[in-house]
Amino acid sequence: MSPDSLDDIYGGTDADEELRRAQADHLDELFTNPDAAIGNAATLGRRHADAELSGAVYAATYGAAFEEMTEKIFDRLAHRFGDDNEAVSSELQRAQSELVDGIWAGVSGMQTGLEAHESSRTAGDDEEFDVDDDDLLDGLGVPVFMICSNAEIRAWNSAIENLTGVTAEEASEFDGVSEAFYSDGRRMKTLAEKVVEAPENADEVFDVNGRTPSAPSIRTRGRWSAPVVRNGR
């Protein structure tokens, strides 16, 4: 089977020549080396997914292979039995047409099912994660902030606003999280910032396993309050 025979199926997609050739070779193996074809099917399926081709497109390539094989088989039958017999030749053509129609009806049903399955999974993913980030963090009921890989504040929930008296908008403009916590102007890294800076060995670089010295005071609702207790101490 040549890649050209799959042009109608891959037309308008991003399938490159290498993938088309690989799929054509795989479809040939369905009839010459079925065990190898079955073994390669998962790999070809993943390659189609990586190329962002739908399951329906992948299924259609099998329809094209079955149709081509059917034509070849009926051509041989017609040559052997129908050359000098118009009735036999006509019956073979009718049988071939019905078989090809049945093949594509099956492929069409498979495509419809695959598209519905993919749509259902996508919709399920959207529903599962359809939660506003701020609402999720506020729902925790404890002070939470989040920083990105550049140690910039990306989230600051309502509980930590109440604890520090600093709004999320104000916090997002800080150069470091400590600006919201330290009353004496010190700029010390929080544990989160230390982990971002040394994700593999923050415990060694910053010695974060021991007692944290000189616990700072924190600001609550604009006032300075008692020292923060860390590490359960």
Side-chain angles (χ1 to χ4, degrees), residues 104-144:
W104 280 109
V107 170
S108 179
M110 185 187 303
Q111 290 175 311
T112 301
L114 286 169
E115 289 172 348
H117 178 67
E118 291 171 355
S119 297
S120 176
R121 290 187 62 184
T122 302
D125 291 343
D126 290 342
E127 292 172 3
E128 182 178 355
F129 294 103
D130 188 17
V131 179
D132 183 80
D133 293 343
D134 292 335
D135 291 341
L136 181 63
L137 292 177
D138 288 344
L140 295 175
V142 295
V144 175

Side-chain angles (χ1 to χ4, degrees), residues 12 19 35-36 45 53 59 74 80 94 109 115 124 134 138 163 187 195 199 209 218:
L19 178 58
D35 289 340
L53 299 175
F74 275 87
R80 180 176 300 182
R94 183 189 64 78
E115 289 172 348
D134 292 335
D138 288 344
L163 177 69
R187 295 295 177 260
V195 171
N209 290 326
I218 64 170

Side-chain angles (χ1 to χ4, degrees), residues 1 27 30-31 59-73 99-100 103-104 107 110:
M1 188 171 194
L27 295 171
L30 289 173
F31 309 101
T61 65
Y62 285 86
F66 297 150
E67 180 177 0
E68 184 172 303
M69 180 54 64
T70 300
E71 291 175 353
K72 290 179 179 178
I73 292 172
L99 181 56
V100 169
I103 288 171
W104 280 109
V107 170
M110 185 187 303

Side-chain angles (χ1 to χ4, degrees), residues 8-98:
D8 288 343
I9 295 169
Y10 286 128
T13 72
D14 294 329
D16 58 27
E17 186 62 30
E18 182 181 355
L19 178 58
R20 297 181 187 212
R21 165 55 64 186
Q23 184 66 5
D25 291 343
H26 165 68
L27 295 171
D28 274 338
E29 284 188 327
L30 289 173
F31 309 101
T32 60
N33 190 349
D35 289 340
I38 293 171
N40 293 333
T43 299
L44 268 299
R46 285 191 292 269
R47 289 182 61 179
H48 279 70
D50 291 342
E52 298 186 352
L53 299 175
S54 68
V57 169
Y58 184 56
T61 65
Y62 285 86
F66 297 150
E67 180 177 0
E68 184 172 303
M69 180 54 64
T70 300
E71 291 175 353
K72 290 179 179 178
I73 292 172
F74 275 87
D75 283 347
R76 289 201 299 269
L77 291 173
H79 178 70
R80 180 176 300 182
F81 302 111
D83 278 353
D84 299 320
N85 190 321
E86 184 175 343
V88 171
S89 178
S90 178
E91 185 64 21
L92 287 172
Q93 289 177 7
R94 183 189 64 78
Q96 177 183 343
S97 178
E98 289 180 354

